[in-house]
Amino acid sequence: MYLEQCATVIQGVFLSRIEKSSVESGVKLKVYSVKEMNEWLSPGLTSNEERENEIYVSEDYVENLPLTREGLVLVSLNNPRAIALKKVHERKVIPSNFAVIEPTSVLDPDYLEWYINEHPKSIRHLRVATQGTVVAALSIQMLRNLEVILPPMDEQMKIGSINRLLRRKNRLIMERMKWEQLYIKHRLIKNLKEG
């Protein structure tokens, strides 16, 4: 089955086309970024020191914007990786460098994330889809034409759950390594001062 048969696939919004408002009269919204996606999928690769991009939009225009929410899957169009959004990601503007996928009831978002990121058939399709361009970019139509293997929902949920737990384990391992390095650094400096 093609992705467009089991999900709605659209492109995020061009930030330059958003009707912005002043700080006083607008609603402040954060913009979802590739950096945030990478930190979620591969913890420890980037730093948290960058300031988040924010925009102010008139309140009546907010409902016209694609905003992050649990259950959506985002795919970076520059580097085809997917993320199934959770509650922590909610209410951020989705820019045009992302495809927004809203799965129907036959497709589990966590399974779709795993399928796009890990399944050899998907990786091959997305690699071919981005070849031949000066700047690698995936088109929305090529993503819609991605063939998706749809096992029964309970199997999709198991695969998605295992993938989510594995990512959490990797995040905890990276955090542990960071704390161990800080502890060792602290001990070495302390020993140097005492010696």
Side-chain angles (χ1 to χ4, degrees):
M1 178 179 286
Y2 293 111
L3 183 58
E4 69 182 347
Q5 295 172 304
C6 55
T8 304
V9 183
I10 62 168
Q11 187 169 1
V13 67
F14 288 92
L15 296 178
S16 60
R17 295 183 186 162
I18 293 177
E19 292 179 25
K20 297 181 177 89
S21 70
S22 66
V23 174
E24 298 84 29
S25 65
V27 176
K28 180 170 78 170
L29 295 172
K30 293 180 180 176
V31 177
Y32 192 82
S33 67
V34 173
K35 175 186 166 284
E36 187 174 355
M37 176 188 208
N38 289 336
E39 286 176 350
W40 186 259
L41 293 174
S42 305
L45 295 182
T46 54
S47 72
N48 289 327
E49 295 176 19
E50 270 183 46
R51 193 177 71 83
E52 288 191 74
N53 192 10
E54 298 172 341
I55 58 173
Y56 290 86
V57 180
S58 62
E59 195 160 337
D60 55 334
Y61 190 73
V62 171
E63 63 190 44
N64 299 326
L65 295 175
L67 299 178
T68 56
R69 63 181 161 77
E70 188 171 22
L72 293 180
V73 176
L74 299 186
V75 177
S76 170
L77 297 175
N78 300 326
N79 176 19
R81 291 191 72 197
I83 182 169
L85 297 175
K86 302 297 175 211
K87 275 222 181 284
V88 298
H89 302 116
E90 287 194 346
R91 204 157 159 75
K92 295 181 181 182
V93 176
I94 303 169
S96 60
N97 57 330
F98 287 102
V100 183
I101 303 172
E102 186 169 359
T104 63
S105 61
V106 299
L107 183 58
D108 179 64
D110 290 318
Y111 170 78
L112 181 60
E113 175 191 306
W114 170 84
Y115 187 83
I116 290 172
N117 291 338
E118 304 296 336
H119 196 279
K121 194 173 190 176
S122 171
I123 292 169
R124 192 170 34 256
H125 175 85
L126 296 175
R127 190 177 302 134
V128 168
T130 57
Q131 282 182 347
T133 58
V134 176
V135 177
L138 177 66
S139 75
I140 297 294
Q141 192 55 45
M142 289 298 286
L143 189 57
R144 288 178 181 141
N145 291 333
L146 173 67
E147 258 191 81
V148 179
I149 299 169
L150 280 181
M153 183 56 78
D154 62 331
E155 196 173 323
Q156 288 183 44
M157 292 174 78
K158 284 178 191 172
I159 292 169
S161 179
I162 290 168
N163 183 57
R164 191 173 52 253
L165 290 171
L166 181 61
R167 196 174 59 239
R168 182 169 183 246
K169 176 186 173 188
N170 290 338
R171 189 177 296 113
L172 291 171
I173 288 170
M174 293 300 293
E175 192 174 326
R176 178 179 163 214
M177 287 173 53
K178 181 181 98 175
W179 286 112
E180 284 176 353
Q181 289 173 354
L182 285 171
Y183 174 75
I184 290 169
K185 182 179 176 181
H186 175 74
R187 292 296 301 169
L188 290 172
I189 291 171
K190 186 177 179 184
N191 286 343
L192 185 63
K193 287 180 182 177
E194 291 174 355

